[in-house]
């Protein structure tokens, strides 16, 4: 039995030690796979239909993020057209940056492995020790690892050590989750790994301090908990004599391990130092985030996926780079573009008004832009109705005296919402995709409709379909 327990502890320790190396290897695999996707996107966004170079900042940011290290044959600037390569060479624009060195990865992995390896070895041994004591095998301590000291079964040290183990368990789980999220976002670095090691150490210290503080404050209750934890199988295996205090201490330490920053903030906020700047808690009640589930097409599962990319609210989605999301998520580029456009409309008009605009054909911010660019009495009438939803009946009453002036007011309000950088970026992507699709696909030509475009080239993207006279 002892050899099996040893083998289990060894396996857990080895896996914990190798975990950062595994994440680094996965990062390299993800980088190469996403480089292939970006190379395919280069055919759409790097050169136009006439094989002429045109740069889109959103796509340039994507390439700059993923094409790191040495020059490869699948780099967009290498695999692109000859004209594009000559233009980039003449401009001196290689858009390359160095990846982290092997030594940097080694330093980060060694620090994380040392902290986690020692903690996992002793923590797993401690947990198994308690379980075997509960099953009546008291010789475990002396026969398995004689050199390792364990606390007395009926002492406060038992609570302290188990609290540290609980804090380590919570912090290690969160470290694995954060490293996995860093891979999805491709921001895993040696500094990230070292930061997670520091968080694990911080969580263990907080767990110990929290256990000592609670033990001193509720001494009588927690002393009963000590006896309940280490009193043998009758107490551990579900007897009613198990004190709720022990469960409370271990649960709080586990939560502190999951969120060490929140635990530290909780302690600091309750400090009575006169010169310490306190947070205004009432402000948080006035500002609340809008969940992205209100976007048409996004459910709880998709929100969980986007949450790994730090998209927690509609504002995060409205300002996100659609091409970056396409590369880093399994969703289609048109689907993402529609989500981002809907989120921009939500941030512009408010979450309580977007559904009211749907009957008027307004689902995205660009629908408002097309409406503001139209002319004619029927367009003014629709502008007034849409403006009444956006601005309220205070500015636009039910009985409008001068429809032209009111339509101009609504149009001006729409124009003020269209010049944000993230709106311009999405518009540029829309135009680039539209140029690739071609002008013939912009409107159906049946039922007597003809195409009327203002401007030339990309400026003609937002066109109006008018029924031929």
């Amino acid at each position: 039995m002892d050899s099996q327990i040893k083998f289990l502890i060894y396996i857990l320790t080895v896996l914990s030690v190798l975990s950062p190396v595994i994440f680094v290897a996965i990062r390299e695999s993800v980088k190469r796979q996403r480089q292939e996707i970006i190379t395919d996107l280069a055919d759409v966004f790097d050169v136009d239909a006439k094989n002429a170079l045109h740069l889109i900042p959103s796509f340039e940011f994507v390439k700059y993020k993923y094409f790191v290290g040495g020059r490869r044959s699948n780099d967009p600037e290498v695999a692109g057209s000859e004209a594009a390569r000559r233009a980039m060479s003449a401009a001196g624009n290689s858009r390359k940056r160095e990846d982290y060195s092997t030594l940097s990865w080694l330093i980060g992995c060694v620090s994380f492995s040392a902290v986690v390896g020692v903690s996992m070895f002793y923590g797993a041994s401690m947990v198994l020790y308690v379980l075997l004591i509960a099953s009546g095998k008291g010789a475990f301590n002396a026969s398995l690892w004689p050199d390792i000291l364990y606390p007395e079964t009926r002492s406060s040290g038992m609570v302290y050590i188990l609290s540290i183990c609980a804090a380590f368990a919570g912090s290690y789980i969160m470290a694995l989750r954060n490293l996995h999220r860093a891979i999805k976002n491709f921001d895993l670095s040696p500094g990230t790994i070292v930061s997670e090691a520091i968080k694990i150490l911080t969580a263990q210290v907080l767990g110990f301090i929290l256990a000592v503080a609670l033990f001193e404050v509720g001494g009588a209750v927690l002393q009963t908990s000590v006896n309940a934890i280490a009193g043998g199988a009758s107490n551990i295996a579900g007897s009613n004599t198990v004190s709720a205090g022990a469960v409370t201490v271990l649960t709080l330490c586990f939560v502190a391990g999951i969120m060490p920053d929140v635990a530290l903030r909780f302690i600091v906020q309750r400090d009575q130092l006169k010169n310490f700047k306190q947070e205004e808690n009432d402000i948080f009640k006035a500002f609340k985030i809008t969940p992205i589930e209100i976007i048409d097409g996004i459910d709880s599962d998709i929100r969980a996926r986007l949450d790994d990319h730090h998209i927690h609210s509609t504002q995060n989605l409205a300002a996100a780079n659609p091409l970056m999301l396409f590369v880093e998520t399994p969703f289609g580029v048109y689907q993402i573009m529609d989500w981002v456009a809907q989120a921009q409309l939500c941030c512009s008009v408010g979450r309580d008004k977007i559904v009211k605009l749907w009957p008027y054909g307004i689902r995205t911010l660009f629908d408002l832009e097309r409406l503001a660019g139209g002319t004619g009495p029927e367009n003014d009438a629709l502008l007034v109705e849409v403006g009444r939803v956006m601005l309220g009946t205070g500015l636009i009453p039910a009985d409008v005296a001068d429809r032209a002036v009111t339509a101009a007011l609504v149009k001006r309000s729409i124009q003020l919402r269209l010049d944000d950088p993230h709106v311009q970026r999405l518009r540029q992507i829309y135009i680039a995709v539209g140029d690739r699709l071609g002008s013939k696909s912009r409107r159906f030509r049946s039922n007597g409709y003809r195409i009327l475009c203002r401007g030339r080239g990309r400026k003609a993207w937002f066109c109006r379909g008018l029924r031929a006279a």
Side-chain angles (χ1 to χ4, degrees), residues 203-252:
Q204 291 175 321
V205 174
L206 283 175
F208 176 75
I209 295 175
L210 186 61
V212 172
L214 293 176
F215 189 86
E216 294 297 330
V217 172
V221 175
L222 293 182
Q223 186 60 46
T224 304
S225 304
V226 172
N227 297 332
I229 291 177
S234 61
N235 289 335
I236 294 293
S239 173
N240 292 331
T241 59
V242 176
S243 173
V247 178
T248 301
V249 172
L250 297 181
T251 302
L252 290 176

Side-chain angles (χ1 to χ4, degrees), residues 199-309:
K199 288 182 181 179
I200 292 176
L201 286 175
T202 303
Q204 291 175 321
V205 174
L206 283 175
F208 176 75
I209 295 175
L210 186 61
V212 172
L214 293 176
F215 189 86
E216 294 297 330
V217 172
V221 175
L222 293 182
Q223 186 60 46
T224 304
S225 304
V226 172
N227 297 332
I229 291 177
S234 61
N235 289 335
I236 294 293
S239 173
N240 292 331
T241 59
V242 176
S243 173
V247 178
T248 301
V249 172
L250 297 181
T251 302
L252 290 176
C253 292
F254 181 79
V255 173
I258 293 178
M259 299 179 292
D261 296 335
V262 176
L264 280 174
R265 188 189 309 166
F266 178 83
I267 295 173
V268 171
Q269 284 180 346
R270 278 147 185 80
D271 199 313
Q272 299 300 319
L273 293 177
K274 295 182 179 180
N275 294 328
F276 186 79
K277 183 181 291 186
Q278 301 289 333
E279 293 181 352
E280 184 62 47
N281 293 325
D282 294 337
I283 297 298
F284 292 99
K285 299 179 182 179
F287 295 91
K288 297 180 180 179
I289 65 172
T290 302
I292 61 176
E293 282 96 337
I294 69 171
I295 301 300
D296 185 24
I298 296 182
D299 55 16
S300 299
D301 293 335
I302 295 177
R303 179 186 181 179
R305 284 178 174 266
L306 296 178
D307 188 73
D308 289 334
H309 300 276

Side-chain angles (χ1 to χ4, degrees), residues 100-271:
Y100 301 103
S101 64
T102 304
L103 179 60
S104 300
W105 288 117
L106 183 62
I107 293 174
C109 291
V110 167
S111 61
F112 185 89
S113 299
V115 173
V116 173
V118 173
S119 301
M120 178 65 74
F121 181 82
Y122 192 84
S125 301
M126 182 65 193
V127 172
L128 292 174
Y129 166 66
V130 173
L131 294 177
L132 291 177
I133 287 293
S135 63
K137 297 185 178 181
F140 172 77
N141 184 22
S143 61
L144 197 56
W145 283 293
D147 296 333
I148 295 182
L149 299 178
Y150 295 95
E152 295 293 333
T153 56
R154 294 181 180 273
S155 66
S156 58
M158 176 67 71
V159 176
Y160 299 155
I161 297 300
L162 289 180
S163 299
I164 295 175
C165 294
F168 166 72
S171 60
Y172 183 60
I173 291 173
M174 283 303 298
L176 295 181
R177 185 169 181 267
N178 291 336
L179 292 177
H180 181 246
R181 176 181 291 181
I183 289 178
K184 287 187 175 182
N185 294 316
F186 199 70
D187 59 0
L188 180 66
S189 66
T192 305
I193 300 176
V194 173
S195 176
E196 294 302 324
I198 294 174
K199 288 182 181 179
I200 292 176
L201 286 175
T202 303
Q204 291 175 321
V205 174
L206 283 175
F208 176 75
I209 295 175
L210 186 61
V212 172
L214 293 176
F215 189 86
E216 294 297 330
V217 172
V221 175
L222 293 182
Q223 186 60 46
T224 304
S225 304
V226 172
N227 297 332
I229 291 177
S234 61
N235 289 335
I236 294 293
S239 173
N240 292 331
T241 59
V242 176
S243 173
V247 178
T248 301
V249 172
L250 297 181
T251 302
L252 290 176
C253 292
F254 181 79
V255 173
I258 293 178
M259 299 179 292
D261 296 335
V262 176
L264 280 174
R265 188 189 309 166
F266 178 83
I267 295 173
V268 171
Q269 284 180 346
R270 278 147 185 80
D271 199 313

Side-chain angles (χ1 to χ4, degrees), residues 325-347:
L325 285 180
F326 171 69
V327 172
E328 296 179 344
T329 65
F331 309 115
V333 64
Y334 295 123
Q335 189 177 27
I336 294 172
M337 289 166 59
D338 182 65
W339 290 346
V340 175
Q342 288 186 63
Q344 290 179 355
L345 177 65
C346 177
C347 293

Side-chain angles (χ1 to χ4, degrees), residues 35-56:
Q35 284 175 347
E36 294 296 330
I37 298 176
I38 296 170
T39 302
D40 294 336
L41 281 178
D43 294 335
V44 177
F45 294 104
D46 262 350
V47 293
D48 58 18
K50 297 181 180 180
N51 209 24
L53 176 67
H54 63 87
L55 302 179
I56 295 181

Side-chain angles (χ1 to χ4, degrees), residues 368 372-373 408-420:
L368 280 180
L409 172 66
V410 177
K411 184 179 299 186
R412 182 55 182 162
S413 176
I414 294 175
Q415 291 173 350
L416 292 175
R417 309 167 192 263
L418 301 176
D419 291 332
D420 291 330

